[in-house]
Amino acid sequence: MTQIKRSAGQSAVASAAYRSGERLYSEYYGEVSDYTRKGGVVCAEILLPCHAPPEYADRQTLWNAVEKAESGKKAQLAYSFDIALQNEFSLEENIALARQFLLDEFVSRGMIVDYAVHLPDKEGGITNPHFHVMCPIRPLKENGEWDAKQHREYLVDESGAPVLDDAGHRRFNAVPTTDWGSPETLEHWRQAWAERCNARFAEKGLDVRIDHRSYERQGVDQIPTVHEGPAVRQMEKKGMETEKGSLNRFIRTTNRMIATTVKRLARLCDWIATLKEELARPQSPDLAELLNNYYDQRNAGAWSQKARLSNLRSLAEAIAFLQEKGIATLADLEAAITSANAESTALKESMQTKSKRIKALDELMRMAGYYRDNKPVYDKLNQIKFKKSRGEYAAQHDQELRLFYMAQRKLKPYLAEDSKLPVKKWQSEQARLQQEYEAEKAEYSKIYHDTRSLTVIRHCVDQAMGNERQKHPAHRRQEHDID
């Protein structure tokens, strides 16, 4: 969810025209926004609560009324929602699901809803169905007139007397008229949408679910990918490798490695716990003895000299690995696996932190580019004194000014008095973090390969212990499948 607001150079009428693919006239700006040639808009509709004026069912009338009700130059005009639809559902099912969700969750709260379903054509690739929703921030009264966005709650002390400020005015808290903009309400909407989609998945017998929570909140050990956007995806589709595309491929590879390593380490830990119980009897053999027993058994059933040589080579490699790591007993093996698990966890957390910061720096430098490229347009606008000329110039450079205002807002904490941004500092930090990330990945890869060797040794020792139990039935215990 975001807000459409004048302080960012945005227009509610223009935003509605873009989402619906229509041609709308803004009375506030005196300009036309024509998106009738925009493709991919398959459905657009306005849903009204019962107390809303019926003329608001017309998109141009509605959003011009919103613009008129907001007089401030920095006014907040509308809430904007972007919600993903599901490729597992048909277009008709998706539209029906979206419409019922909006009626139950938004219109029932007294909100006016303007939504549009988009189905971008990926030319044979995976489609990206989604719908855009715009809702006026200002609520309606029961008589259909616009209400206030917030009201005052005057403060009183313990005796009930008014609390005054230094100027002698009564102090108050500004309280929103509705809960539409609260984080709790947004969380409810996100959860409600996930539950509706999951219920539909269950009805269709599909073994797939979505979750409104982040990986971190779900407890999923996975590094999130960055949002690529249509421009990057189009370039990647044409075979042009992009920085974001390369980063996402790198993250996906790392996630697969993390998942495999964590799974193997968990299996090893479970196996060691079971094996310790199996070997809790006097004079249990050490790892080298168990490995020798295992490969002796393999050689007894070998059909060729080549197979025997291969077994001998595998035994030598396993013994060499144990000697290199200083592992001689089951206790040593357990300590090695525990250590690998701790190092893996620490590296994973560090890589996730660096990845998050690298993404943040990417976004800052992207905003810095918008700020730098469009500041001349902004400066020239401020040099124009006549209102009509300013309006014409602003209309001609609407996109540049919107990008500049967006960048200026996001870069405000970093802008110095001379309007210079620490871009070189960001680039240096990102290069350092990327280098550290690569080094940690190489270390993680080493742990990954060590874990594979430990897994092979675990398997051989397990087989050897199984053979020992067959020779001595009195000592058999219940086996556990740890693979």
Side-chain angles (χ1 to χ4, degrees):
M1 184 189 80
T2 58
Q3 288 186 354
I4 297 172
K5 44 193 176 183
R6 292 199 184 112
S7 60
Q10 297 170 321
S11 160
V13 175
S15 298
Y18 174 80
R19 286 158 175 78
S20 63
E22 294 183 0
R23 183 179 188 276
L24 302 179
Y25 173 74
S26 171
E27 298 173 1
Y28 184 88
Y29 289 104
E31 61 184 19
V32 172
S33 297
D34 189 350
Y35 292 98
T36 52
R37 295 185 179 181
K38 172 181 171 59
V41 181
V42 297
C43 172
E45 183 183 8
I46 294 177
L47 305 175
L48 299 178
C50 58
H51 60 286
E55 60 266 23
Y56 286 173
D58 176 75
R59 185 165 285 108
Q60 181 168 284
T61 301
L62 168 63
W63 293 113
N64 273 305
V66 170
E67 295 273 13
K68 184 177 181 180
E70 306 293 349
S71 58
K73 293 182 179 180
K74 298 183 178 181
Q76 299 170 342
L77 305 171
Y79 295 119
S80 175
F81 302 85
D82 300 332
I83 307 176
L85 294 168
Q86 311 304 320
N87 281 307
E88 292 81 1
F89 304 156
S90 68
L91 178 60
E92 292 74 16
E93 288 173 328
N94 269 322
I95 293 175
L97 190 68
R99 192 175 191 277
Q100 194 59 50
F101 169 73
L102 295 173
L103 287 170
D104 294 344
E105 298 292 342
F106 288 67
V107 179
S108 65
R109 294 172 179 260
M111 303 174 73
I112 298 176
V113 173
D114 184 358
Y115 78 99
V117 177
H118 289 191
L119 188 64
D121 184 6
K122 294 298 181 181
E123 297 181 7
I126 297 176
T127 57
N128 177 32
H130 58 275
F131 64 106
H132 298 279
V133 181
M134 285 179 59
C135 302
I137 296 178
R138 186 177 294 274
L140 287 172
K141 298 178 182 179
E142 288 300 323
N143 61 4
E145 296 179 355
W146 295 109
D147 200 355
K149 294 179 181 176
Q150 59 187 23
H151 61 272
R152 296 181 178 183
E153 281 190 358
Y154 288 97
L155 303 179
V156 295
D157 57 22
E158 296 178 354
S159 64
V163 177
L164 306 180
D165 59 18
D166 295 338
H169 301 135
R170 292 192 63 179
R171 298 182 61 185
F172 62 88
N173 290 328
V175 180
T177 306
T178 69
D179 63 351
W180 303 344
S182 72
E184 294 77 16
T185 302
L186 178 58
E187 176 75 5
H188 165 76
W189 281 332
R190 287 167 56 83
Q191 182 175 354
W193 176 248
E195 290 174 350
R196 283 176 182 266
C197 291
N198 290 335
R200 186 62 181 148
F201 285 137
E203 290 175 7
K204 294 174 72 68
L206 298 173
D207 186 20
V208 59
R209 298 293 183 269
I210 61 174
D211 199 311
H212 68 288
R213 299 169 299 169
S214 65
Y215 286 151
E216 183 178 359
R217 289 175 60 192
Q218 294 179 55
V220 175
D221 291 328
Q222 190 168 328
I223 303 173
T225 55
V226 299
H227 178 68
E228 294 179 351
V232 171
R233 291 180 181 175
Q234 193 67 22
M235 293 172 67
E236 289 280 342
K237 184 178 178 181
K238 293 179 180 179
M240 302 169 61
E241 193 168 297
T242 64
E243 185 175 341
K244 287 186 176 181
S246 298
L247 177 60
N248 278 341
R249 283 186 286 273
F250 181 76
I251 290 174
R252 292 187 185 100
T253 301
T254 303
N255 281 334
R256 286 193 294 269
M257 187 181 296
I258 288 173
T260 302
T261 304
V262 169
K263 191 177 296 184
R264 283 177 174 164
L265 288 170
R267 290 173 180 170
L268 285 168
C269 290
D270 292 342
W271 171 78
I272 287 203
T274 303
L275 195 58
K276 284 178 68 177
E277 295 179 0
E278 294 286 346
L279 299 177
R281 58 178 181 264
Q283 299 179 349
S284 61
D286 62 14
L287 293 178
E289 291 173 339
L290 289 169
L291 288 171
N292 272 304
N293 293 341
Y294 170 75
Y295 282 104
D296 283 346
Q297 185 68 26
R298 284 181 62 92
N299 280 334
W303 287 88
S304 65
Q305 184 65 21
K306 182 178 180 180
R308 295 187 186 93
L309 289 174
S310 177
N311 289 333
L312 182 61
R313 184 167 54 253
S314 297
L315 173 61
E317 290 174 354
I319 296 297
F321 176 81
L322 292 175
Q323 290 176 344
E324 178 189 351
K325 301 297 181 182
I327 301 172
T329 65
L330 288 173
D332 294 338
L333 183 60
E334 179 181 10
I337 293 173
T338 302
S339 175
N341 191 23
E343 291 180 30
S344 173
T345 300
L347 282 172
K348 178 178 61 180
E349 292 176 353
S350 178
M351 290 165 66
Q352 289 175 337
T353 300
K354 288 181 174 60
S355 175
K356 185 177 180 180
R357 178 57 180 165
I358 288 171
K359 295 175 193 175
L361 290 170
D362 273 336
E363 180 65 10
L364 287 174
M365 288 187 284
R366 186 171 73 92
M367 291 298 110
Y370 289 157
Y371 184 88
R372 179 194 63 241
D373 296 342
N374 298 297
K375 192 173 188 304
V377 177
Y378 171 77
D379 292 338
K380 185 173 180 180
L381 175 66
N382 289 334
Q383 294 172 1
I384 301 174
K385 298 181 180 180
F386 296 104
K387 182 176 180 180
K388 182 177 179 181
S389 299
R390 281 175 60 88
E392 292 175 351
Y393 184 83
Q396 293 170 359
H397 300 277
D398 178 70
Q399 184 63 26
E400 295 97 320
L401 290 171
R402 291 190 184 189
L403 290 174
F404 176 80
Y405 291 138
M406 176 181 67
Q408 185 183 54
R409 182 177 72 257
K410 294 188 176 181
L411 295 172
K412 185 176 181 181
Y414 307 97
L415 283 169
E417 293 182 359
D418 55 1
S419 298
K420 290 185 178 180
L421 293 165
V423 176
K424 290 185 177 180
K425 180 179 177 181
W426 291 338
Q427 292 173 338
S428 176
E429 181 184 358
Q430 188 182 54
R432 175 180 58 80
L433 289 174
Q434 193 67 46
Q435 186 176 8
E436 292 175 359
Y437 190 98
E438 295 286 350
E440 289 179 351
K441 181 180 180 293
E443 182 65 21
Y444 198 95
S445 180
K446 184 176 180 298
I447 295 175
Y448 174 82
H449 292 298
D450 286 350
T451 303
R452 290 185 62 184
S453 298
L454 290 169
T455 302
V456 172
I457 293 173
R458 183 279 320 252
H459 173 76
C460 296
V461 172
D462 192 39
Q463 292 294 317
M465 291 302 301
N467 294 334
E468 288 295 321
R469 287 193 296 270
Q470 290 178 5
K471 293 178 182 178
H472 306 285
H475 297 289
R476 289 184 184 174
R477 298 183 182 182
Q478 183 179 1
E479 296 184 358
H480 300 278
D481 182 10
I482 62 174
D483 290 324

